[in-house]
């Protein structure tokens, strides 16, 4: 079994099978991202860390997510619901700062279990009511759920679940949902990239290794976007809940 191989440019270019394996994982992750708007970070980190060191995986996946958010955001730019972002982005920034403080002074494992329970409770709630019949959330709810998402982003590398719950309860159509999520994801990605650079977690070798993984990202986004345009709204909503359920289960497993 291959363990602890480097995700750097030098290793990937010298070991094509590793490059192909990492590329396949990335392509699948970004296929899911294009179909439902989120999930690439969770899938990439969960699988790539079985092969590569987590301290290398997280910064590289962050760059890949930054690329994915930029491309999807640009593609769907006209579909972005700006009023949502006016509440979500300030909340997310506050949450990222709070999450950094919590991470420094608290055992994050207990918080992980709480997050898993919260996500699964929401999934059950949404399934019982049916996603299309969820109550309408007011715009101001974007602030507390943005803060919650920012905290989750600081602790676990992606604040998707609380933001997904909020956008579902805003009853956006699938394209607007995906576009708006990219706006908040882009904010999160840029802030965390600056933190990683400041902490020297993002090295030159990893940055060049990221360049080798751009083609799989583009392939996954292209293929996933084709499905996104074809599925109906209910299939889209059920897909988001399925990914949320997988996230919740993952957070409950030590």
């Amino acid at each position: 079994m291959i363990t602890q191989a480097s995700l750097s440019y030098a290793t990937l270019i010298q070991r094509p099978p590793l490059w192909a394996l990492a590329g396949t994982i990335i392509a699948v992750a970004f296929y899911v991202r294009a179909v439902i708007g989120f999930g690439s970070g969770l899938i990439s980190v969960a699988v790539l860390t079985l092969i590569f060191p987590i301290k290398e995986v997280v910064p590289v996946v962050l760059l890949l997510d930054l690329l994915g958010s930029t491309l999807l955001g640009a593609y769907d730019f006209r579909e972005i619901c700006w009023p949502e972002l006016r509440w979500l982005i300030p909340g997310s920034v506050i949450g990222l700062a709070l999450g950094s403080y919590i991470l420094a002074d608290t055992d994050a494992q207990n918080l992980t279990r709480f997050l898993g329970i919260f996500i699964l409770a929401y999934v059950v709630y949404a399934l019982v009511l049916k996603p299309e019949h969820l109550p309408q959330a007011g715009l101001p709810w974007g602030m507390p759920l943005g803060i919650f998402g920012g905290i989750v982003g600081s602790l676990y590398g992606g604040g998707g679940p609380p933001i997904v719950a909020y956008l579902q309860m805003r009853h956006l159509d699938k394209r607007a949902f995906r576009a708006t999520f990219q706006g908040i994801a882009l904010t999160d990605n840029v802030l965390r990239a600056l933190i990683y650079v400041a902490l020297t977690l993002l090295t030159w070798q990893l940055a060049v290794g990221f360049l080798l993984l751009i083609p799989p990202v583009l392939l996954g986004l292209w293929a996933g976007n084709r499905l996104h345009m074809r599925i109906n709204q209910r299939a889209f909503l059920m897909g988001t809940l399925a990914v949320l359920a997988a996230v919740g289960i993952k957070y409950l497993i030590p």
Side-chain angles (χ1 to χ4, degrees):
M1 179 179 179
I2 301 171
T3 57
Q4 299 301 301
S6 177
L7 198 52
S8 66
Y9 169 83
T11 300
L12 292 180
I13 206 70
Q14 292 171 10
R15 301 175 67 178
L18 269 184
W19 185 1
L21 180 57
T24 300
I25 294 166
I26 293 298
V28 171
F30 280 87
Y31 177 84
V32 173
R33 174 71 171 269
V35 173
I36 63 171
F38 70 102
S40 56
L42 170 73
I43 295 170
S44 299
V45 172
V47 182
L48 288 175
T49 49
L50 299 175
I51 307 163
F52 305 98
I54 190 169
K55 288 187 177 180
E56 294 186 1
V57 168
V58 171
V60 171
V61 169
L62 172 63
L63 292 179
L64 296 172
D65 270 351
L66 180 57
L67 174 63
S69 298
T70 301
L71 293 176
L72 282 178
Y75 183 79
D76 289 337
F77 186 78
R78 293 184 179 180
E79 305 293 331
I80 294 174
C81 294
W82 297 103
E84 318 291 344
L85 294 181
R86 285 199 290 268
W87 292 90
L88 285 171
I89 288 178
S92 181
V93 172
I94 294 169
L96 284 168
L98 289 174
S100 300
Y101 175 79
I102 293 171
L103 187 61
D105 294 339
T106 308
D107 179 7
Q109 185 59 43
N110 292 328
L111 297 173
T112 301
R113 294 191 183 97
F114 167 77
L115 179 60
I117 292 170
F118 169 84
I119 294 170
L120 291 176
Y122 170 76
V123 170
V124 171
Y125 171 71
L127 287 173
V128 169
L129 287 186
K130 297 185 179 180
E132 60 271 25
H133 296 146
L134 286 168
Q136 178 81 25
L139 276 173
W141 277 101
M143 178 65 77
L145 286 171
I147 291 173
F148 190 13
I151 291 172
V152 172
S154 284
L155 296 176
Y156 312 113
I163 308 301
V164 169
Y166 169 74
L167 293 178
Q168 279 196 338
M169 288 189 288
R170 289 294 296 160
H171 294 280
L172 304 182
D173 67 54
K174 62 179 183 178
R175 189 93 182 268
F177 177 105
R178 188 178 73 169
T180 306
F181 188 91
Q182 304 320 306
I184 191 66
L186 188 58
T187 302
D188 174 87
N189 293 156
V190 169
L191 290 175
R192 287 198 293 125
L194 293 174
I195 292 171
Y196 289 170
V197 170
L199 297 176
T200 67
L201 293 173
L202 186 57
T203 66
W204 171 250
Q205 279 288 320
L206 290 178
V208 179
F210 147 77
L211 295 177
L212 294 176
L213 296 171
I214 289 178
V217 170
L218 300 180
L219 176 61
L221 291 177
W222 173 79
N225 187 60
R226 288 172 61 85
L227 179 58
H228 177 82
M229 294 302 182
R230 294 176 181 176
I231 60 175
N232 60 37
Q233 183 71 9
R234 179 164 178 77
F236 173 79
L237 291 171
M238 296 305 291
T240 61
L241 290 177
V243 173
L244 282 179
V247 173
I249 293 169
K250 178 182 182 296
Y251 284 150
L252 288 178
I253 298 174

